């Protein structure tokens, strides 16, 4: 009971911390770097750690506090690093362990925190554990999920133990000649699923976390959480149960496609959340034993809203610091209305447990880029939205300057999810488009690399549109982004101010107000029609004059301009941040 009261008081105390007392990650600004495409320092056409190191000042300059890197560990690259063959060794293409330590130190010297991608669900089939498991080495025998398969009563032939489908298409079971059994892979054939019901697997993976914590890493983004556990074998039948067809197979008629089934036995099991609590305990214990800055967990889970809330903790135990808000990511598209935007903000804010921070994520290396998904006209609006909401913002590299999806032909396609499709459908599946190289300047390969051939093509013209050009321009997406992150750091209203919203036609309007009385109004015209607003009638105590502090590139309003609250023109697709004047 004493413990319970302690937790409750802590939750209350957290809510009343003044912003100077906020911990580094609270209300933080996180940046996802996809290292393969960020900056190539040695001219082999593949981005690397020294490339990231060269560009850390940029990351700091755009206002970030934390950086998470997609996987940089030894890997045959069947899923571009999400297939790891050694969790404690940097992939030579990306550099050395020393380069990673140097990067960590440099990040710290700039006041940045560095987070690594932890991929616990599966290893590469080239990982020593898998090879030993194939060889039936006793300690490793049950490190993965193996099964003899079942005999089809009509044909008399052996077939996989269940109908389970891989996220990358086709059966999730693959026959292994040497061991004469099937193994489970919820992703690619070269990504065998680890068996989390084996305590030795859990302990080995805990040791991976400890290895990197001991080297100064500030936390982990945990990959593919809903896939960690599968249902146990059915003792009656000696095999695994088939999964039912999806309730709406008309939207996914192809029987080889993952969406064809309802993944009741392989996805989002309660055990997945339980292990997140254990990993939280591990990092918290590390932090207190070594008296370091807080080590944080960010979790990747496309799962139900209830599960996402549960990921934060269960009232007694804590879980993920940042359960990525994929409700909003999956819910919004270019047809969404202002009410939809409003709904997703409120739904999260009003349901999250006490004492935690909300988080907002709209892009990553698995989803089309913001400017392509919501329309290039809305590029600034989306950034204004993300940066002015209460809580933690997560930005995928490139979104800060409105980068669009790159074009990758079928011949150049390398993503396994794209390659498993065909030349007519691959663009629906391939994630290469959001992974094309970063556009730094107008030199060869947009300044990404000096190589003749880059691992993915530079996906768009970059002569006039690149980071250097946007920094030199009087105004640009990037400059707007920097103004936003600046406001977030300096203005109490955005650090821990309250949030109150209204929707008028297709416009979302909200006030962020600090206890000191400072107030900002954010106006986001999501729709395709200009709207004239009388803001004075929407909120109490509004001054008659408002100052535009930031707005979309095409708003035609210079920063600093004073406008009338009772006749404010919000242009279609444009966003505005307005300050109340006295
Ligand atoms: C996560 C990653 C994705 C990867 C998959 C398998 O969803 O974000 O890129 O393919 O896990 O590791
Ligand atoms: Mg699994």
């Amino acid at each position: 009971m004493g413990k319970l009261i302690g937790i409750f008081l802590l939750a209350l105390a957290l809510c009343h911390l003044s912003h100077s007392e906020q911990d580094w990650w609270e209300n933080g600004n996180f940046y996802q770097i996809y290292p393969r495409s960020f900056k190539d320092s040695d001219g082999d056409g593949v981005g690397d750690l020294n490339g990231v190191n060269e560009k850390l000042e940029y990351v700091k300059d755009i206002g970030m506090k934390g950086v998470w890197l997609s996987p940089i560990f030894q890997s045959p690259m069947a899923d571009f690093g999400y297939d790891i063959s050694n969790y404690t060794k940097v992939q030579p293409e990306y550099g050395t362990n020393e380069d990673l330590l140097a990067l960590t130190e440099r990040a710290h010297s700039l006041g940045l925190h560095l987070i690594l991608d932890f991929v616990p669900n599966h290893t590469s089939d080239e990982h020593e554990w898998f090879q030993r498991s194939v060889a039936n080495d006793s300690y490793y025998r049950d490190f993965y999920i193996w099964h003899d398969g079942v005999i089809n009563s009509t044909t008399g032939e052996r077939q996989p133990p269940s109908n389970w489908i891989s996220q990358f298409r086709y059966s999730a079971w693959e026959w292994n000649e040497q061991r004469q059994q099937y193994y489970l892979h919820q992703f690619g054939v070269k990504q065998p699923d680890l068996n989390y019901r084996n305590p030795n697997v859990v302990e080995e993976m805990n040791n991976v976390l400890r290895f990197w914590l001991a080297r100064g890493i500030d936390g982990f983004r945990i990959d593919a959480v809903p896939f960690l556990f599968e249902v146990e074998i059915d003792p009656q039948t000696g095999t695994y149960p088939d999964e039912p067809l999806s309730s709406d197979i008309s939207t996914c008629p192809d029987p080889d496609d993952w969406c064809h089934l309802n993944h009741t036995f392989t996805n989002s099991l309660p055990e997945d959340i339980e292990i997140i609590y254990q990993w939280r305990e591990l990092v918290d214990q590390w932090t207190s034993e070594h008296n370091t800055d807080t080590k944080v967990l960010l979790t990747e889970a496309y799962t139900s809203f209830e599960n996402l809330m549960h990921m934060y903790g269960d009232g007694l135990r804590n879980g993920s610091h940042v359960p990525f808000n994929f409700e909003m990511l999956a819910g919004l598209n270019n047809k969404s209305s202002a009410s939809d935007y409003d709904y997703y903000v409120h739904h999260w804010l009003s349901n999250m447990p006490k004492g935690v921070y909300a988080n907002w994520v709209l892009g990553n290396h698995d989803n089309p880029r913001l400017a392509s998904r919501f329309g290039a006209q809305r590029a600034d609006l989306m950034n204004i939205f993300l940066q002015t909401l209460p809580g933690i913002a997560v930005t995928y590299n490139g979104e800060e300057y409105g980068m669009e999806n790159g074009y990758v032909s079928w011949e150049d396609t390398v993503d396994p999810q794209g390659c498993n499709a065909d030349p007519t459908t691959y663009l629906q599946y391939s994630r290469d488009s959001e992974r094309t190289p970063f556009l730094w300047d107008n030199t060869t390969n947009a300044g990404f690399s000096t190589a003749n051939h880059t691992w993915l093509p530079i996906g768009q013209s970059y002569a006039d549109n690149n980071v250097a050009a946007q920094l030199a321009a009087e105004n640009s997406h990037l400059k707007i982004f920097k103004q936003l992150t600046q406001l977030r750091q300096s203005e109490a209203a955005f650090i821990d101010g309250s949030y109150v919203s209204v929707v008028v036609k297709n416009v979302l309007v909200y006030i962020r107000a600090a206890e000191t009385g400072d107030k900002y109004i954010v106006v986001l015209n999501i729709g395709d029609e200009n709207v004239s607003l009388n803001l004075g009638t929407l909120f109490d105590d509004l001054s008659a004059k408002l100052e535009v502090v930031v707005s979309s590139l095409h708003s035609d309003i210079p920063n600093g301009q004073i406008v009338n609250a009772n006749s404010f023109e919000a242009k279609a697709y444009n966003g505005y941040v307005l300050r109340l004047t006295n």
Side-chain angles (χ1 to χ4, degrees):
M1 190 62 196
K3 189 169 178 199
L4 255 180
I5 291 172
I7 289 168
F8 182 59
L9 287 178
L10 178 74
L12 279 181
L14 269 178
C15 302
H16 290 105
L17 278 182
S18 83
H19 53 258
S20 56
E21 289 165 278
Q22 277 186 346
D23 200 354
W24 72 267
W25 61 275
E26 295 167 350
N27 207 49
N29 228 338
F30 286 87
Y31 191 60
Q32 176 190 356
I33 292 183
Y34 193 74
R36 214 173 164 76
S37 293
F38 197 57
K39 171 73 188 171
D40 172 20
S41 72
D42 60 359
D44 65 353
V46 173
D48 46 51
L49 291 177
N50 287 338
V52 175
N53 199 326
E54 270 176 46
K55 296 295 185 184
L56 272 189
E57 302 266 355
Y58 167 80
V59 175
K60 162 112 183 149
D61 185 50
I62 62 170
M64 294 299 139
K65 289 275 181 276
V67 175
W68 78 265
L69 299 180
S70 280
I72 40 99
F73 312 104
Q74 186 180 296
S75 163
M77 295 292 156
D79 190 19
F80 298 99
Y82 284 96
D83 50 317
I84 296 173
S85 53
N86 187 338
Y87 286 93
T88 54
K89 187 169 180 296
V90 168
Q91 163 80 352
E93 239 175 348
Y94 295 150
T96 62
N97 283 28
E98 287 66 42
D99 294 334
L100 180 55
L101 298 189
L103 179 67
T104 314
E105 269 178 35
R106 176 133 170 74
H108 291 167
S109 73
L110 290 170
L112 292 167
H113 287 80
L114 192 72
I115 291 158
L116 295 181
D117 207 331
F118 178 53
V119 186
N121 178 62
H122 43 269
T123 68
S124 162
D125 62 345
E126 297 180 32
H127 196 293
E128 192 190 339
W129 301 344
F130 187 72
Q131 314 228 309
R132 292 196 174 201
S133 193
V134 166
N136 253 316
D137 192 327
S138 61
Y139 178 70
Y140 296 98
R141 182 173 299 140
D142 296 326
F143 258 50
Y144 297 83
I145 304 189
W146 293 100
H147 196 277
D148 293 338
V150 292
I151 302 299
N152 182 311
S153 51
T154 339
T155 64
E157 283 185 23
R158 191 193 297 276
Q159 64 183 40
S162 69
N163 70 345
W164 298 354
I165 298 176
S166 146
Q167 166 109 83
F168 292 167
R169 282 175 75 77
Y170 309 120
S171 174
W173 296 101
E174 181 75 8
W175 179 252
N176 181 275
E177 271 305 323
Q178 189 181 340
R179 183 156 151 161
Q180 290 288 301
Q181 278 190 312
Y182 289 95
Y183 65 86
L184 178 72
H185 60 90
Q186 293 222 56
F187 291 89
V189 170
K190 283 180 70 62
Q191 293 165 292
D193 267 54
L194 284 163
N195 174 13
Y196 273 85
R197 301 195 187 273
N198 178 344
N200 292 331
V201 168
V202 176
E203 192 46 27
E204 293 283 354
M205 293 310 277
N206 289 351
N207 284 337
V208 171
L209 295 176
R210 293 186 188 108
F211 178 91
W212 289 114
L213 289 171
R215 282 156 184 78
I217 293 301
D218 299 298
F220 303 94
R221 173 265 189 193
I222 308 182
D223 183 72
V225 173
F227 297 87
L228 288 169
F229 282 85
E230 296 77 29
V231 78
E232 282 178 277
I233 212 159
D234 178 346
Q236 298 277 304
T237 61
T239 186
Y240 293 98
D242 280 345
E243 289 189 324
L245 292 185
S246 154
S247 48
D248 186 12
I249 48 165
S250 62
T251 60
C252 190
D254 183 343
D256 291 326
D257 216 328
W258 191 70
C259 53
H260 195 70
L261 299 180
N262 189 357
H263 303 282
T264 38
F265 300 126
T266 54
N267 200 273
S268 298
L269 270 58
E271 292 93 323
D272 299 335
I273 296 180
E274 176 62 38
I275 198 159
I276 295 301
Y277 295 170
Q278 292 174 28
W279 283 329
R280 172 65 182 265
E281 207 180 316
L282 187 152
V283 296
D284 280 355
Q285 206 176 350
W286 183 279
T287 308
S288 65
E289 279 173 10
H290 297 79
N291 197 19
T292 62
D293 276 9
T294 307
K295 308 285 188 183
V296 298
L297 297 183
L298 287 57
T299 43
E300 191 225 20
Y302 295 88
T303 185
S304 69
F305 180 75
E306 290 65 34
N307 283 337
L308 290 175
M309 291 297 117
H310 219 161
M311 208 80 78
Y312 272 124
D314 64 2
L316 284 174
R317 287 174 306 164
N318 290 319
S320 174
H321 297 79
V322 184
F324 283 150
N325 184 340
F326 288 163
E327 183 191 41
M328 182 186 267
L329 183 148
L332 292 181
N333 57 50
N334 66 351
K335 305 251 166 10
S336 302
S337 66
S339 308
D340 298 328
Y341 283 65
D342 192 41
Y343 168 81
Y344 289 115
V345 177
H346 274 286
H347 195 224
W348 195 279
L349 289 179
S350 52
N351 285 290
M352 65 184 191
K354 289 247 161 356
V356 304
Y357 283 79
N359 80 81
W360 318 99
V361 188
L362 285 174
N364 59 33
H365 63 298
D366 295 325
N367 287 283
R369 286 188 172 278
L370 286 191
S372 301
R373 203 149 23 105
F374 294 95
Q377 323 94 301
R378 293 197 185 94
D380 299 313
L381 178 144
M382 299 314 291
N383 283 335
I384 294 173
F385 180 49
L386 235 69
Q387 292 292 331
T388 58
L389 289 174
I392 292 161
V394 187
T395 297
Y396 178 51
N397 59 192
E399 310 288 29
E400 71 276 20
Y401 62 87
M403 187 176 181
E404 293 179 46
N405 273 357
Y407 173 72
V408 183
S409 67
W410 168 248
E411 288 70 32
D412 283 338
T413 295
V414 291
D415 175 26
Q417 204 168 276
C419 296
N420 276 351
D422 64 56
T424 60
T425 57
Y426 79 99
L427 284 175
Q428 268 168 264
Y429 297 92
S430 178
R431 298 166 298 180
D432 290 334
S433 334
E434 56 263 23
R435 299 174 179 180
T436 57
F438 209 79
L439 310 173
W440 290 106
D441 55 39
N442 63 6
T443 64
T444 309
N445 295 323
F448 161 67
S449 168
T450 55
N452 290 329
H453 180 82
T454 53
W455 81 281
L456 276 179
I458 311 299
Q460 53 272 96
S461 55
Y462 56 86
D464 304 315
N465 192 10
N466 55 63
V467 166
Q470 289 204 18
L471 286 175
E474 201 178 314
N475 198 6
S476 63
H477 299 306
L478 188 52
K479 286 204 158 160
I480 290 166
F481 187 86
K482 284 177 63 173
Q483 288 154 8
L484 291 166
T485 58
Q486 194 51 49
L487 281 174
R488 231 181 119 83
Q489 282 176 43
S490 60
E491 299 303 298
F494 291 116
I495 294 170
D496 53 8
S498 59
Y499 172 92
V500 178
S501 69
V502 280
V503 171
V504 185
K505 296 189 179 156
N506 219 350
V507 186
L508 172 62
V509 188
Y510 48 87
I511 290 213
R512 297 295 315 273
E515 271 177 23
T516 55
D518 285 353
K519 279 185 192 164
Y520 284 84
I521 300 191
V522 178
V523 178
L524 303 172
N525 187 349
I526 312 294
D528 55 7
E529 282 173 23
N530 299 347
V531 177
S532 176
L533 296 165
N534 185 342
L535 297 170
T537 60
L538 302 180
F539 301 101
D540 297 334
D541 305 330
L542 213 65
S543 50
K545 302 281 180 195
L546 303 169
E547 180 195 343
V548 178
V549 286
V550 193
S551 64
S552 292
L553 195 53
H554 299 298
S555 72
D556 297 327
I557 310 185
N559 294 346
Q561 179 148 324
I562 304 297
V563 294
N564 288 323
N566 58 13
S567 59
F568 182 74
E569 287 293 320
K571 282 180 71 178
Y573 308 121
N574 279 241
Y576 308 80
V577 181
L578 314 169
R579 190 190 344 245
L580 264 71
T581 57
N582 297 320

